[in-house]
Protein backbone atom coordinates (compact mmCIF):
# COMPACT_ATOMS: atom_id res chain seq x y z
CA UNK A 1 0.00 0.00 0.00
CA UNK A 2 1.36 3.39 -1.05
CA UNK A 3 1.59 6.02 1.65
CA UNK A 4 0.79 8.62 -1.01
CA UNK A 5 -1.89 7.93 -3.61
CA UNK A 6 -1.67 9.85 -6.86
CA UNK A 7 -4.51 10.26 -9.32
CA UNK A 8 -5.01 9.88 -12.12
CA UNK A 9 -2.34 7.35 -13.04
CA UNK A 10 -2.34 8.49 -16.67
CA UNK A 11 -3.50 11.74 -18.27
CA UNK A 12 -3.49 12.59 -21.97
CA UNK A 13 -4.63 16.03 -23.08
CA UNK A 14 -4.45 18.37 -26.05
CA UNK A 15 -2.06 21.33 -26.06
CA UNK A 16 -3.71 24.37 -24.49
CA UNK A 17 -5.95 22.42 -22.11
CA UNK A 18 -5.65 22.55 -18.32
CA UNK A 19 -4.94 19.60 -16.06
CA UNK A 20 -4.84 18.78 -12.37
CA UNK A 21 -2.97 15.97 -10.62
CA UNK A 22 -3.83 14.94 -7.07
CA UNK A 23 -1.74 13.50 -4.26
CA UNK A 24 -3.57 12.17 -1.19
CA UNK A 25 -2.65 10.50 2.08
CA UNK A 26 -3.98 9.81 5.54
CA UNK A 27 -0.63 10.91 7.02
CA UNK A 28 0.35 14.43 8.00
CA UNK A 29 3.58 15.56 6.37
CA UNK A 30 6.08 18.16 7.49
CA UNK A 31 6.61 19.05 3.83
CA UNK A 32 5.53 17.88 0.42
CA UNK A 33 7.42 18.03 -2.84
CA UNK A 34 6.60 17.62 -6.53
CA UNK A 35 9.14 16.18 -8.94
CA UNK A 36 9.04 15.81 -12.71
CA UNK A 37 10.82 12.98 -14.49
CA UNK A 38 11.53 12.60 -18.20
CA UNK A 39 12.23 9.22 -19.84
CA UNK A 40 15.74 7.93 -19.16
CA UNK A 41 16.47 10.54 -16.50
CA UNK A 42 16.15 10.97 -12.75
CA UNK A 43 13.40 13.04 -11.13
CA UNK A 44 13.94 16.79 -10.82
CA UNK A 45 12.41 18.87 -8.03
CA UNK A 46 9.73 21.38 -9.06
CA UNK A 47 8.58 22.74 -5.71
CA UNK A 48 8.51 22.21 -1.94
CA UNK A 49 5.49 23.25 0.15
CA UNK A 50 5.66 23.29 3.93
CA UNK A 51 2.67 25.22 5.31
CA UNK A 52 -0.93 23.97 5.35
CA UNK A 53 -2.95 25.88 2.75
CA UNK A 54 0.17 27.10 0.98
CA UNK A 55 -0.09 27.87 -2.73
CA UNK A 56 2.98 28.24 -4.92
CA UNK A 57 3.11 29.23 -8.56
CA UNK A 58 5.84 28.38 -11.03
CA UNK A 59 4.93 29.98 -14.37
CA UNK A 60 1.94 27.91 -15.60
CA UNK A 61 2.16 25.42 -12.71
CA UNK A 62 0.22 25.96 -9.46
CA UNK A 63 0.88 23.80 -6.42
CA UNK A 64 -1.36 23.64 -3.37
CA UNK A 65 -0.77 21.99 0.00
CA UNK A 66 -3.93 20.98 1.85
CA UNK A 67 -4.87 22.75 5.06
CA UNK A 68 -4.28 19.58 7.08
CA UNK A 69 -0.96 18.86 5.29
CA UNK A 70 -2.22 15.46 4.10
CA UNK A 71 -2.79 16.20 0.42
CA UNK A 72 -1.62 18.32 -2.47
CA UNK A 73 -2.50 19.18 -6.04
CA UNK A 74 -0.61 20.28 -9.11
CA UNK A 75 -2.50 22.33 -11.70
CA UNK A 76 -1.07 23.12 -15.13
CA UNK A 77 -2.67 25.91 -17.15
CA UNK A 78 -2.54 25.86 -20.95
CA UNK A 79 -0.42 22.72 -21.09
CA UNK A 80 2.34 22.46 -23.68
CA UNK A 81 4.06 19.38 -25.17
CA UNK A 82 7.11 20.26 -23.06
CA UNK A 83 5.03 19.52 -19.94
CA UNK A 84 4.94 15.85 -20.90
CA UNK A 85 6.50 13.65 -18.24
CA UNK A 86 6.01 11.66 -15.06
CA UNK A 87 4.95 13.81 -12.11
CA UNK A 88 5.77 12.46 -8.66
CA UNK A 89 4.68 13.77 -5.29
CA UNK A 90 6.80 13.04 -2.22
CA UNK A 91 5.91 13.61 1.42
CA UNK A 92 8.33 13.83 4.31
CA UNK A 93 7.74 12.05 7.58
CA UNK A 94 11.07 10.87 8.99
CA UNK A 95 12.07 9.99 5.42
CA UNK A 96 10.78 11.01 2.02
CA UNK A 97 8.04 8.76 0.60
CA UNK A 98 7.04 8.93 -3.05
CA UNK A 99 3.72 8.41 -4.77
CA UNK A 100 3.51 6.07 -7.77
CA UNK A 101 3.36 9.00 -10.18
CA UNK A 102 1.09 10.43 -12.84
CA UNK A 103 2.15 10.09 -16.47
CA UNK A 104 1.12 13.23 -18.35
CA UNK A 105 1.10 13.37 -22.14
CA UNK A 106 0.37 16.66 -23.89
CA UNK A 107 -0.45 16.22 -27.57
CA UNK A 108 0.48 18.94 -30.05
CA UNK B 1 22.88 18.22 -11.57
CA UNK B 2 24.77 18.01 -8.24
CA UNK B 3 27.58 16.04 -9.89
CA UNK B 4 26.05 12.56 -9.49
CA UNK B 5 27.07 9.72 -11.76
CA UNK B 6 25.99 6.10 -11.73
CA UNK B 7 27.71 3.09 -13.23
CA UNK B 8 26.96 1.01 -15.08
CA UNK B 9 23.99 2.67 -16.83
CA UNK B 10 22.69 -0.65 -18.12
CA UNK B 11 23.35 -4.20 -16.99
CA UNK B 12 21.94 -7.59 -17.88
CA UNK B 13 22.81 -10.44 -15.54
CA UNK B 14 21.66 -13.92 -14.62
CA UNK B 15 19.81 -15.09 -11.55
CA UNK B 16 22.13 -15.95 -8.70
CA UNK B 17 25.05 -13.74 -9.74
CA UNK B 18 26.34 -10.89 -7.57
CA UNK B 19 25.91 -7.35 -8.88
CA UNK B 20 27.36 -4.07 -7.62
CA UNK B 21 26.09 -0.67 -8.69
CA UNK B 22 28.14 2.43 -8.03
CA UNK B 23 27.05 5.97 -7.24
CA UNK B 24 29.65 8.73 -7.30
CA UNK B 25 29.21 12.36 -6.22
CA UNK B 26 31.65 15.22 -6.46
CA UNK B 27 30.19 17.78 -4.02
CA UNK B 28 30.83 16.24 -0.59
CA UNK B 29 27.18 15.68 0.34
CA UNK B 30 26.66 13.80 3.58
CA UNK B 31 23.39 12.02 2.74
CA UNK B 32 23.14 9.54 -0.11
CA UNK B 33 20.27 7.24 -1.07
CA UNK B 34 19.50 4.23 -3.24
CA UNK B 35 15.99 3.88 -4.69
CA UNK B 36 14.39 1.45 -7.08
CA UNK B 37 11.66 2.52 -9.48
CA UNK B 38 9.05 0.10 -10.76
CA UNK B 39 5.80 0.75 -12.65
CA UNK B 40 2.94 1.37 -10.27
CA UNK B 41 5.22 1.76 -7.25
CA UNK B 42 7.04 5.01 -7.80
CA UNK B 43 10.39 5.32 -6.06
CA UNK B 44 11.05 3.08 -3.07
CA UNK B 45 13.96 3.58 -0.71
CA UNK B 46 16.37 0.63 -0.46
CA UNK B 47 19.16 1.96 1.78
CA UNK B 48 20.59 5.31 2.70
CA UNK B 49 23.80 6.69 4.18
CA UNK B 50 24.34 9.63 6.51
CA UNK B 51 28.13 9.53 6.45
CA UNK B 52 31.17 7.37 5.82
CA UNK B 53 30.46 3.87 7.15
CA UNK B 54 27.03 5.06 8.44
CA UNK B 55 24.15 3.37 6.62
CA UNK B 56 20.58 2.32 7.38
CA UNK B 57 17.78 0.32 5.78
CA UNK B 58 14.89 1.69 3.79
CA UNK B 59 11.52 0.12 3.09
CA UNK B 60 12.69 -2.51 0.55
CA UNK B 61 16.16 -3.50 1.82
CA UNK B 62 15.84 -7.32 1.70
CA UNK B 63 18.34 -8.82 -0.76
CA UNK B 64 20.46 -5.65 -0.89
CA UNK B 65 23.51 -4.42 0.97
CA UNK B 66 25.39 -1.13 0.77
CA UNK B 67 28.80 0.26 1.62
CA UNK B 68 30.23 3.74 1.93
CA UNK B 69 33.97 3.76 2.55
CA UNK B 70 34.46 7.25 1.06
CA UNK B 71 32.21 10.31 1.09
CA UNK B 72 31.98 10.35 -2.68
CA UNK B 73 31.06 6.70 -3.32
CA UNK B 74 27.96 4.74 -2.30
CA UNK B 75 27.81 1.13 -3.50
CA UNK B 76 24.70 -1.04 -3.78
CA UNK B 77 25.25 -4.81 -3.91
CA UNK B 78 22.84 -7.54 -4.84
CA UNK B 79 24.53 -10.59 -3.31
CA UNK B 80 22.56 -13.06 -5.43
CA UNK B 81 20.38 -11.35 -8.01
CA UNK B 82 16.78 -12.49 -8.53
CA UNK B 83 14.31 -11.66 -11.30
CA UNK B 84 12.28 -9.57 -8.83
CA UNK B 85 15.25 -7.21 -8.63
CA UNK B 86 14.89 -6.25 -12.28
CA UNK B 87 14.30 -2.53 -12.00
CA UNK B 88 15.69 0.94 -12.58
CA UNK B 89 17.93 1.99 -9.70
CA UNK B 90 18.47 5.64 -8.81
CA UNK B 91 21.03 7.16 -6.52
CA UNK B 92 20.29 10.50 -4.87
CA UNK B 93 21.92 13.04 -2.56
CA UNK B 94 20.25 15.50 -0.19
CA UNK B 95 20.88 19.20 0.02
CA UNK B 96 19.35 20.71 3.16
CA UNK B 97 18.16 24.29 3.51
CA UNK B 98 16.62 24.98 6.91
CA UNK B 99 14.34 22.07 7.73
CA UNK B 100 13.63 20.95 4.16
CA UNK B 101 15.82 19.11 1.73
CA UNK B 102 16.05 18.77 -2.00
CA UNK B 103 17.02 15.42 -3.39
CA UNK B 104 19.09 15.38 -6.57
CA UNK B 105 19.02 12.17 -8.54
CA UNK B 106 21.54 10.46 -10.73
CA UNK B 107 20.64 9.29 -14.25
CA UNK B 108 19.72 5.77 -13.14
CA UNK B 109 20.91 2.21 -13.82
CA UNK B 110 18.61 -0.16 -15.69
CA UNK B 111 19.20 -3.68 -14.34
CA UNK B 112 17.73 -6.78 -15.95
CA UNK B 113 18.01 -10.12 -14.16
CA UNK B 114 17.29 -13.08 -16.44
Amino acid sequence: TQLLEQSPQFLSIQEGENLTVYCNSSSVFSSLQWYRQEPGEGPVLLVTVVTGGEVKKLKRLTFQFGDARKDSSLHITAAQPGDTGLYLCAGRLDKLSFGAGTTVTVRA
Amino acid sequence: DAGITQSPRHKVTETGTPVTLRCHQTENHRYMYWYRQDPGHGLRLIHYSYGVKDTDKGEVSDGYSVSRSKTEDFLLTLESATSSQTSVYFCAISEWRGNTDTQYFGPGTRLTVL
Side-chain angles (χ1 to χ4, degrees):
Chain A
T1 305
Q2 296 276 149
L3 186 62
L4 285 155
E5 296 291 336
Q6 284 189 240
S7 61
Q9 189 176 356
F10 299 97
L11 194 53
S12 180
I13 61 170
Q14 200 69 34
E15 182 176 4
E17 294 181 337
N18 302 333
L19 68 95
T20 302
V21 177
Y22 299 93
C23 177
N24 294 294
S25 177
S26 56
S27 298
V28 177
F29 298 103
S30 59
S31 64
L32 194 134
Q33 297 178 322
W34 285 92
Y35 290 78
R36 180 166 163 263
Q37 184 178 17
E38 297 194 21
E41 299 182 8
V44 175
L45 180 70
L46 295 173
V47 76
T48 300
V49 285
V50 297
T51 305
E54 182 176 1
V55 176
K56 278 192 174 178
K57 293 193 175 184
L58 191 68
K59 298 183 181 177
R60 295 177 293 99
L61 278 61
T62 302
F63 305 86
Q64 185 160 9
F65 201 12
D67 291 341
R69 305 205 317 274
K70 294 181 179 181
D71 54 82
S72 181
S73 63
L74 156 61
H75 182 79
I76 302 179
T77 303
Q80 298 175 0
D83 296 324
T84 292
L86 176 67
Y87 290 82
L88 296 156
C89 66
R92 177 164 289 282
L93 296 173
D94 57 336
K95 298 181 195 57
L96 203 60
S97 294
F98 285 82
T102 295
T103 300
V104 171
T105 303
V106 182
R107 305 184 304 274
Chain B
D1 65 359
I4 305 167
T5 57
Q6 292 185 232
S7 58
R9 293 292 315 277
H10 301 271
K11 186 169 183 66
V12 179
T13 191
E14 294 188 349
T15 298
T17 60
V19 176
T20 295
L21 308 183
R22 179 181 183 239
C23 177
H24 180 77
Q25 56 129 336
T26 59
E27 298 184 3
N28 223 30
H29 293 287
R30 180 182 172 195
Y31 284 85
M32 298 184 75
Y33 307 82
W34 276 108
Y35 291 90
R36 60 179 288 174
Q37 187 173 33
D38 306 287
H41 290 280
L43 287 155
R44 291 181 290 174
L45 183 64
I46 305 171
H47 282 279
Y48 67 100
S49 170
Y50 45 96
V52 173
K53 291 187 170 45
D54 291 324
T55 64
D56 206 348
K57 296 179 180 180
E59 64 177 298
V60 290
S61 60
D62 287 348
Y64 302 95
S65 62
V66 290
S67 65
R68 192 164 177 205
S69 58
K70 299 185 290 184
T71 299
E72 58 265 36
D73 289 325
F74 191 30
L75 303 180
L76 176 70
T77 297
L78 291 64
E79 302 289 348
S80 177
T82 67
S83 59
S84 65
Q85 293 175 311
T86 292
S87 187
V88 181
Y89 291 86
F90 286 98
C91 173
I93 60 89
S94 268
E95 215 171 63
W96 284 85
R97 291 194 179 94
N99 60 355
T100 64
D101 72 316
T102 297
Q103 294 204 359
Y104 293 92
F105 289 82
T109 294
R110 182 173 293 276
L111 176 67
T112 302
V113 183
L114 301 176

